[in-house]
Amino acid sequence: MIRLVAPGVWICLVTMVSGYAATLWQTETTPKEEVDSLFGGLEAVKTNDFSVPVIASGAVRGYVIAKFSFTMKSEPLHRMSVKPDVFLLDSAFRTIYSTDASILQGAKKQDLQELTAAIKSRANARFGEPIVEDVLIEKYSHLPKDATRDGAKPKELAPAKE
């Protein structure tokens, strides 16, 4: 009888130990220091899509539709009591809005570099310390006013039939 029970207990014990070891191995997390060294202690914060009117000569000439991603230092980011994305969105909006309309309508590669640098400096000035490391463009396009619904000429309505 002992020859039958002992191998059964041994098999159960080995199965439990191997299951426990496999669980520990699969749930092992990377130490915080290693993660910080890989990513430099940075986190990404994305903005929602937003549109900025392009105004020239007192009239709306079109819209810039954009979406940005900001890489920010982790430690000051976690100390903030307010989410930073609203401040980042405001900085991006104000920078694009204050840019000359002729530059926005014919954006070139160097203009985008200047734009992201200006957004970064405005955001860091808003936070009071250099928290924003880089500004990445996810979406950026200029839409002329005539391509919008409001830019098209309104159709004349036919008189109502009685």
Side-chain angles (χ1 to χ4, degrees):
M1 180 78 176
I2 193 94
R3 288 183 180 189
L4 189 59
V5 174
V9 170
W10 176 253
I11 290 171
C12 288
L13 186 63
V14 169
T15 303
M16 287 186 340
V17 169
S18 64
Y20 180 72
T23 303
L24 282 180
W25 175 66
Q26 289 294 326
T27 60
E28 183 179 329
T29 58
T30 309
K32 184 174 178 3
E33 297 82 26
E34 187 176 329
V35 171
D36 285 347
S37 68
L38 288 175
F39 299 106
L42 298 177
E43 288 188 31
V45 177
K46 294 182 179 184
T47 64
N48 294 325
D49 290 357
F50 65 98
S51 60
V52 181
V54 177
I55 299 174
S57 306
V60 175
R61 301 293 181 202
Y63 298 90
V64 170
I65 301 165
K67 182 177 184 178
F68 294 102
S69 227
F70 295 84
T71 56
M72 302 178 69
K73 294 179 182 176
S74 299
E75 193 265 320
L77 185 62
H78 292 295
R79 286 184 300 162
M80 293 182 175
S81 60
V82 178
K83 291 191 170 221
D85 51 350
V86 291
F87 296 108
L88 299 172
L89 187 62
D90 181 65
S91 298
F93 186 94
R94 288 173 188 260
T95 303
I96 294 171
Y97 188 79
S98 64
T99 304
D100 186 26
S102 63
I103 293 172
L104 292 175
Q105 290 173 343
K108 300 176 186 172
K109 290 181 185 178
Q110 63 270 16
D111 296 332
L112 293 178
Q113 291 294 334
E114 292 171 10
L115 180 67
T116 56
I119 292 171
K120 176 184 171 182
S121 67
R122 185 178 289 235
N124 282 333
R126 186 86 184 256
F127 291 126
E129 59 180 291
I131 297 174
V132 177
E133 289 292 319
D134 200 6
V135 178
L136 308 171
I137 299 173
E138 287 193 33
K139 183 191 328 185
Y140 183 88
S141 60
H142 178 267
L143 185 65
K145 177 152 182 177
D146 58 354
T148 64
R149 280 185 287 179
D150 295 337
K153 291 182 181 176
K155 297 179 181 176
E156 291 188 27
L157 298 173
K161 295 181 181 178
E162 297 181 20

